[in-house]
Amino acid sequence: MNFSQRQPEWHTIPSVALTHIFDYLDTQDRRSAASVCFSWRLAFFQKRYFRNFRFQLDVGCDDQLAFFHRSMANLARELIVVFDFQNAFHIQKMRRLLYKVARCDNIQKLRFQTHNVGLVAIGNMHSEHLLAIEQCFVEPLKLFLSRKRQPCQILDLGAIEALSYYGHDFLKAMGKPQELLQLTLASIKYDPSHYPILSLDATLLQKCAALQVLSLDYDTLSDELLHTIQVLPLRKLLIAVHGLDSEEHPDVSETAWSHFSSHFSSIELVLTLVYAYEAIELLQHRVLRSNMPVTHVRLLFCEQMNAEALDWMSLHHNETLRSIHYVDSAYKHSNRMNYTRHGFLRQDPFVMMAWRCKQLEEIVVHGYLMDPHNLVGIARLRGRQLKRLEVSMIDWSGAASMNAYNEEISTLLGQQWSPISPDKMPPSLAYDYELRDQFVYEMLRQDLSQ
């Protein structure tokens, strides 16, 4: 082969020169250039090109896991770990992975993602299960949190019930709690009617002087805790309600919420009921308070509609409420609300919300049969302020023309509108617990990130 036919030896370019070239490129071009050859790829993997880099790792993918250990462990600033909490092989891999994370000072944000949020009911867990959780998760996490150089800024336990019970230990282990920006301790309970209550020392939260986002189970709340966290710069508080235990957990007082809301005048407060079969009946009596600055409400698979609670919210949270989601299985509510029980309500509660709540921008209703006249009423009351109106079950039996209703609602909202068709309905509305868990989990994550 003569000289003119020889291929350029790109790999011989000195790394110093390559770095200067890479510095002139934008992120996309730099990534493309890194695919030229092995030496160019090596030059690409430098911390200078991965500032604030977010890496999502699927523990079930061995090639990706090896790539992380080999190249990305010392570059990623935020790590999202996707794994199956019911898979013993994943759990064993997590132990090595988390110890690796604990040794990487660059990783300051750690999030877990798993749809299988519990092995068995926590009260029935055998000692070997607890030991495995402590060895594979708790001990390396405590090591990660104890770092004082490049301390943890985000800890998201992924709604895993078994891990949430170590919340006190995690807070106690923090080397620099004043650097923590986001803490997620809320969980999805395996058995929402029977579970132990997390004991959390409020003074540990007080040390988290920079905390902006906090997610807790309702059972953890108390007057003392609400008072303590008022020293924090919170912009979002997420509360997950499961069961209500009158003996072990006193209700949070109206006075405590009054002081809280006067201190946090613009906080986002997301109240989510998850499989709260008993708590939904007592919502307006045991959980809701008139001074509670609720901005977003999620009623997820509670197996009944508490119209009194919705009406109560429309009266007492009309200055703060911005979003309401009611989601249940379609087969549960094939007929409209039982007006014998809720006879005092002359109007659909969602219509009353649309009328009274001045900030309401989003209404999502699945698993409850809506009257098309009420949907038009909602659209007339909220108009273009209502950015999202999503429903999937409508009683068209008394309606003259479905298209006419859709067109009128579209005109009132200022956007094309139609109900969700059956083929596009969330699969979680079927009787499938795994799909439900996935839906609930994604909703919790969505509210956390927004």
Side-chain angles (χ1 to χ4, degrees):
M1 181 182 295
N2 59 42
F3 182 80
S4 62
Q5 294 176 317
R6 291 178 58 187
Q7 296 296 318
E9 296 183 354
W10 300 110
H11 65 280
T12 62
I13 298 177
S15 59
V16 174
L18 268 179
T19 298
H20 281 297
I21 295 171
F22 278 19
D23 286 345
Y24 283 103
L25 303 177
D26 61 27
T27 303
Q28 185 61 43
D29 290 339
R30 193 181 298 125
R31 189 182 299 117
S32 299
S35 64
V36 169
C37 62
F38 180 72
S39 61
W40 283 40
R41 181 168 289 274
L42 287 179
F44 175 61
F45 289 116
Q46 300 182 51
K47 286 186 177 181
R48 64 197 296 164
Y49 303 135
F50 289 87
R51 296 186 180 96
N52 299 318
F53 184 67
R54 188 181 195 189
F55 188 78
Q56 180 163 314
L57 171 63
D58 187 341
V59 173
C61 182
D62 289 336
D63 289 343
Q64 192 183 41
L65 189 60
F67 175 62
F68 174 81
H69 281 289
R70 182 178 64 250
S71 302
M72 301 309 302
N74 294 314
L75 299 177
R77 182 177 174 85
E78 178 175 348
L79 179 63
I80 304 168
V81 186
V82 182
F83 66 102
D84 185 345
F85 198 69
Q86 292 182 335
N87 189 311
F89 295 104
H90 284 203
I91 301 303
Q92 288 300 319
K93 293 176 184 178
M94 286 294 293
R95 185 174 186 271
R96 177 175 175 239
L97 172 64
L98 291 178
Y99 273 114
K100 177 79 171 181
V101 169
R103 294 192 298 269
C104 297
D105 287 344
N106 49 286
I107 299 178
Q108 294 184 274
K109 304 174 183 180
L110 181 62
R111 301 182 188 273
F112 292 151
Q113 286 190 17
T114 177
H115 299 312
N116 296 316
V117 293
L119 291 170
V120 294
I122 196 72
N124 297 330
M125 292 187 72
H126 301 297
S127 58
E128 60 266 23
H129 289 150
L130 293 173
L131 182 62
I133 290 170
E134 291 177 2
Q135 289 182 342
C136 298
F137 288 89
V138 179
E139 293 307 320
L141 277 175
K142 287 164 68 175
L143 186 63
F144 167 71
L145 296 170
S146 66
R147 295 184 329 204
K148 293 187 176 181
R149 184 171 178 269
Q150 301 296 329
C152 176
Q153 293 182 347
I154 292 178
L155 178 63
D156 179 357
L157 297 177
I160 300 171
E161 180 182 8
L163 295 184
S164 69
Y165 292 114
Y166 292 92
H168 178 89
D169 302 271
F170 294 146
L171 281 170
K172 193 174 180 180
M174 288 193 171
K176 280 192 175 182
Q178 65 271 25
E179 298 294 326
L180 189 66
L181 301 176
Q182 183 181 121
L183 177 64
T184 304
L185 294 177
S187 62
I188 300 176
K189 304 298 185 187
Y190 180 89
D191 184 346
S193 299
H194 301 89
Y195 54 88
I197 306 299
L198 167 64
S199 177
L200 192 62
D201 186 349
T203 59
L204 293 175
L205 278 175
Q206 193 174 26
K207 296 178 181 179
C208 304
L211 194 65
Q212 298 178 19
V213 179
L214 176 61
S215 169
L216 294 171
D217 288 329
Y218 176 75
D219 313 277
T220 307
L221 286 182
S222 65
D223 285 13
E224 180 190 2
L225 189 143
L226 279 184
H227 175 74
T228 301
I229 63 177
Q230 287 181 38
V231 300
L232 307 179
L234 286 179
R235 59 178 180 81
K236 181 180 288 190
L237 175 63
L238 302 97
I239 302 170
V241 181
H242 307 281
L244 292 175
D245 193 324
S246 58
E247 296 180 0
E248 294 188 30
H249 184 265
D251 298 336
V252 181
S253 71
E254 190 73 77
T255 302
W257 278 118
S258 177
H259 292 158
F260 181 88
S261 60
S262 62
H263 184 81
F264 294 106
S265 57
S266 60
I267 194 170
E268 281 190 37
L269 197 158
V270 184
L271 181 68
T272 304
L273 272 68
V274 183
Y275 308 129
Y277 312 123
E278 299 170 358
I280 186 66
E281 294 188 17
L282 302 171
L283 180 59
Q284 70 274 30
H285 304 295
R286 295 283 309 278
V287 178
L288 295 173
R289 295 290 180 263
S290 58
N291 287 305
M292 193 177 184
V294 178
T295 57
H296 302 73
V297 175
R298 314 295 187 224
L299 307 176
L300 308 179
F301 304 105
C302 297
E303 296 194 350
Q304 63 172 289
M305 164 74 77
N306 184 342
E308 293 103 321
L310 297 185
D311 194 61
W312 196 97
M313 282 186 272
S314 71
L315 284 169
H316 295 90
H317 300 142
N318 52 25
E319 297 288 342
T320 59
L321 191 64
R322 303 207 304 260
S323 171
I324 172 77
H325 284 225
Y326 174 83
V327 179
D328 214 328
S329 297
Y331 80 96
K332 288 284 183 184
H333 305 286
S334 57
N335 297 312
R336 279 199 296 270
M337 186 187 310
N338 182 351
Y339 281 96
T340 302
R341 179 183 175 193
H342 309 293
F344 74 95
L345 291 173
R346 300 296 182 184
Q347 294 287 344
D348 185 286
F350 297 105
V351 174
M352 302 308 289
M353 279 188 167
W355 175 40
R356 293 167 175 161
C357 299
K358 303 174 183 178
Q359 309 297 326
L360 193 61
E361 298 177 339
E362 182 181 56
I363 299 175
V364 175
V365 182
H366 295 295
Y368 168 60
L369 197 61
M370 298 288 290
D371 187 312
H373 300 86
N374 289 335
L375 288 173
V376 172
I378 290 171
R380 286 175 178 170
L381 289 165
R382 299 307 309 151
R384 300 194 177 197
Q385 288 179 285
L386 192 62
K387 298 178 180 177
R388 183 182 182 192
L389 175 61
E390 181 178 305
V391 299
S392 56
M393 296 175 63
I394 300 178
D395 180 9
W396 295 108
S397 59
S401 171
M402 179 175 66
N403 291 335
Y405 281 96
N406 291 350
E407 289 175 8
E408 183 174 358
I409 294 173
S410 298
T411 301
L412 292 165
L413 297 181
Q415 57 180 295
Q416 192 62 37
W417 185 89
S418 62
I420 303 296
S421 60
D423 60 318
K424 293 184 179 178
M425 286 175 61
S428 55
L429 297 187
Y431 196 74
D432 188 316
Y433 289 110
E434 186 173 340
L435 289 175
R436 284 192 198 178
D437 279 352
Q438 182 174 339
F439 181 92
V440 170
Y441 181 77
E442 292 301 330
M443 175 64 71
L444 291 175
R445 295 206 59 81
Q446 178 181 324
D447 284 332
L448 186 67
S449 61
Q450 285 183 345

